[in-house]
Amino acid sequence: MSSSAPASAAAPLTISADAVHRRSLAPLEAWFSLEPQVLLSHSGQLNLDFQWPRQADDPRELSEIPELRLWSLRADALCPWLPLLLERGNGQLTRHVAMLLPHQFSRSEGIRFAPDSLELWMTHRLFLLDHWCRSHGLNARGNLEQMAAVLGYELDASFWQGLD
């Protein structure tokens, strides 16, 4: 297993139209081989750049394009740590979650998730990632709480009780 980050960790990771059509996760391959501690050291830093051909008059957001949603669903299933790595300040994490969950988009308000869907997905992801981290001797609860907050999900102070 590699113990260093992909050479282009700071640069956007290009997801080509061909990779999307083939549902290929090859662009993420370098990340698969990283040790969990190294993966976590890149939390909030990964940018996915979908190179998807669109007509100039196509009003859809990327999260409304079925092919991109299908690629993202596969990536999310096989890389459950992906949301933890995605950049948070410029909307990468929010866009990724929009690829997975029902939502509405408004030019003035941005993405608004169906509350029940967000709660179920977020709770599932928090349990999954907390367990994954702890099974590798890592604690990422603060990072997980930040990830949740970016999505507008507030954790009750007692959320982690009983999980140790």
Side-chain angles (χ1 to χ4, degrees):
M1 293 244 179
S2 171
S3 61
S4 62
S8 60
L13 183 64
T14 299
I15 312 298
S16 70
D18 182 57
V20 170
H21 283 297
R22 292 184 298 110
R23 292 185 289 280
S24 169
L25 299 182
L28 292 168
E29 226 169 74
W31 296 91
F32 280 109
S33 64
L34 297 179
E35 295 291 336
Q37 183 175 358
V38 176
L39 270 175
L40 288 180
S41 73
H42 293 285
S43 291
Q45 298 177 20
L46 182 61
N47 285 285
L48 301 181
D49 180 20
F50 288 100
Q51 296 294 305
W52 188 256
R54 295 171 58 175
Q55 298 294 324
D57 62 345
D58 186 346
R60 297 177 297 173
E61 294 296 315
L62 292 178
S63 63
E64 297 174 308
I65 299 172
E67 295 89 348
L68 298 181
R69 291 188 88 167
L70 191 57
W71 185 92
S72 295
L73 282 164
R74 183 163 194 258
D76 192 70
L78 299 178
C79 312
W81 37 259
L82 184 60
L84 196 52
L85 297 185
L86 289 171
E87 195 284 328
R88 298 168 189 159
N90 72 10
Q92 287 280 316
L93 174 61
T94 303
R95 183 185 70 196
H96 177 72
V97 176
M99 298 280 195
L100 312 174
L101 298 179
H103 66 280
Q104 294 180 343
F105 181 79
S106 150
R107 297 266 182 232
S108 61
E109 297 179 34
I111 293 175
R112 298 189 57 90
F113 294 104
D116 290 346
S117 296
L118 180 60
E119 182 178 1
L120 287 171
W121 182 85
M122 187 88 268
T123 303
H124 174 265
R125 191 52 47 111
L126 290 169
F127 287 151
L128 174 71
L129 290 174
D130 182 60
H131 175 76
W132 177 78
C133 287
R134 292 197 174 265
S135 72
H136 292 288
L138 303 168
N139 182 346
R141 287 182 177 172
N143 203 340
L144 291 168
E145 289 171 3
Q146 290 174 358
M147 183 182 80
V150 165
L151 296 168
Y153 186 80
E154 293 184 37
L155 287 180
D156 184 85
S158 64
F159 182 82
W160 303 113
Q161 288 179 354
L163 298 180
D164 295 321

